[in-house]
């Protein structure tokens, strides 16, 4: 049904929620003297860090972003690959279906937070925040993927966990698959809704 399957990273391939939010909480406490509950910061999941800091009206965003990135190291032990993800990626490769990622992480963040888990070997195409001028929910990141890979929108499936992913897919003309294992918005409209990663294989 699809010639390529594209994944978001945070909340879809790896569970980084705790690390991202705890590190951001710490930055905001130090930089803005403000205390936020994790629930108040969920909007920051799925968009570039600089965009999240802009929404939070942080004054010195460059310094705050550097601290946020640094503090992620302290919570790296909380990051895990979602159960079943590696098996699905391996099977997609075995079936000769090219896979890739479109993420709001920068290349440096991807190298530090994602590469250590050994999943890069399954991915043919990579689009990070550095690769586009505009970011999710704007369609440019997925359009960049299509440009790099040569696939048409109607032959590609984008799987993610947030409204940013869903809107990006819709505006780029791709079908959207909702990864319920990482999503905080289970009622998000989607072409396909996946309870578990292995369900992705039933489409192919």
């Amino acid at each position: 049904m699809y010639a390529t399957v594209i994944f978001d990273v945070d909340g879809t391939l790896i569970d980084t929620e705790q690390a991202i939010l705890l590190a951001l909480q710490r930055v905001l406490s130090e930089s803005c003297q403000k205390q936020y509950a994790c629930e108040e910061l969920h909007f920051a999941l799925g968009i570039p860090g600089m965009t999240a800091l802009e929404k939070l009206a942080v004054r010195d965003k460059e310094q705050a972003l550097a601290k946020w990135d640094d503090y992620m190291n302290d919570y790296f032990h909380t990051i895990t690959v979602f159960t079943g993800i590696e098996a699905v990626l391996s099977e997609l490769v075995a079936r000769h279906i090219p896979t890739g990622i479109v993420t709001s992480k920068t290349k440096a963040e991807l190298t530090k937070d994602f590469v250590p888990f050994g999943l890069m070997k399954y991915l043919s195409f990579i689009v990070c925040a550095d690769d586009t001028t505009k970011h999710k929910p704007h369609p440019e990141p997925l359009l960049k993927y299509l440009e790099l890979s040569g696939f048409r929108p109607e032959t590609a499936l984008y799987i993610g966990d947030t409204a940013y992913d869903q809107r990006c897919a819709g505006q780029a003309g791709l079908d959207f698959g909702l990864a319920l294992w990482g999503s905080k918005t289970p009622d998000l409209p989607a072409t396909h809704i996946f309870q578990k990663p292995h369900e992705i294989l039933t489409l192919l």
Side-chain angles (χ1 to χ4, degrees), residues 104-191:
S104 293
K105 285 185 178 297
T106 63
K107 292 175 184 176
E109 291 167 343
L110 190 75
T111 298
K112 189 179 68 170
D113 302 337
F114 180 73
V115 170
F117 293 100
L119 300 180
M120 291 291 285
K121 63 188 176 185
Y122 301 112
L123 305 169
S124 300
F125 305 99
I126 311 295
V127 176
C128 294
D130 320 63
D131 296 315
T132 60
T133 303
K134 295 184 173 67
H135 310 292
K136 295 184 289 186
H138 193 278
E140 186 177 334
L142 277 174
L143 295 177
K144 182 67 175 181
Y145 181 98
L146 297 176
E147 176 189 330
L148 291 172
S149 66
F151 290 105
R152 301 187 309 279
E154 62 272 18
T155 68
L157 172 68
Y158 185 45
I159 299 174
D161 64 301
T162 69
Y164 307 120
D165 300 321
Q166 187 258 355
R167 288 164 59 195
C168 181
Q171 293 181 82
L174 277 69
D175 284 354
F176 175 66
L178 179 61
L180 281 184
W181 55 86
S183 181
K184 298 299 178 187
T185 50
D187 56 346
L188 202 61
T191 314

Side-chain angles (χ1 to χ4, degrees), residues 10-204:
D10 295 317
T12 302
L13 296 181
I14 58 174
D15 185 356
T16 51
E17 179 181 330
Q18 189 174 3
I20 290 172
L21 296 183
L22 290 177
L24 179 56
Q25 273 185 324
R26 190 167 156 193
V27 168
L28 295 172
S29 176
E30 293 179 2
S31 301
C32 307
Q33 290 74 52
K34 290 185 179 180
Q35 308 300 322
Y36 289 88
C38 284
E39 292 74 19
E40 296 177 276
L41 300 174
H42 276 154
F43 75 89
L45 300 171
I47 56 176
M50 189 62 76
T51 303
L53 293 172
E54 287 172 358
K55 289 178 179 292
L56 288 161
V58 174
R59 286 186 179 180
D60 192 341
K61 292 182 285 293
E62 293 287 348
Q63 183 185 55
L65 189 64
K67 282 187 175 182
W68 190 0
D69 187 53
D70 184 50
Y71 291 163
M72 282 283 290
N73 294 324
D74 295 337
Y75 304 106
F76 183 80
H77 65 281
T78 69
I79 301 175
T80 59
V81 177
F82 283 108
T83 301
I85 283 295
E86 184 162 12
V88 168
L89 291 174
S90 178
E91 182 61 22
L92 289 170
V93 170
R95 297 190 191 189
H96 305 290
I97 297 171
T99 62
I101 55 174
V102 168
T103 176
S104 293
K105 285 185 178 297
T106 63
K107 292 175 184 176
E109 291 167 343
L110 190 75
T111 298
K112 189 179 68 170
D113 302 337
F114 180 73
V115 170
F117 293 100
L119 300 180
M120 291 291 285
K121 63 188 176 185
Y122 301 112
L123 305 169
S124 300
F125 305 99
I126 311 295
V127 176
C128 294
D130 320 63
D131 296 315
T132 60
T133 303
K134 295 184 173 67
H135 310 292
K136 295 184 289 186
H138 193 278
E140 186 177 334
L142 277 174
L143 295 177
K144 182 67 175 181
Y145 181 98
L146 297 176
E147 176 189 330
L148 291 172
S149 66
F151 290 105
R152 301 187 309 279
E154 62 272 18
T155 68
L157 172 68
Y158 185 45
I159 299 174
D161 64 301
T162 69
Y164 307 120
D165 300 321
Q166 187 258 355
R167 288 164 59 195
C168 181
Q171 293 181 82
L174 277 69
D175 284 354
F176 175 66
L178 179 61
L180 281 184
W181 55 86
S183 181
K184 298 299 178 187
T185 50
D187 56 346
L188 202 61
T191 314
H192 308 286
I193 297 177
F194 304 115
Q195 297 279 348
K196 300 291 182 182
H198 70 84
E199 295 172 7
I200 297 166
L201 300 175
T202 65
L203 298 178
L204 308 169

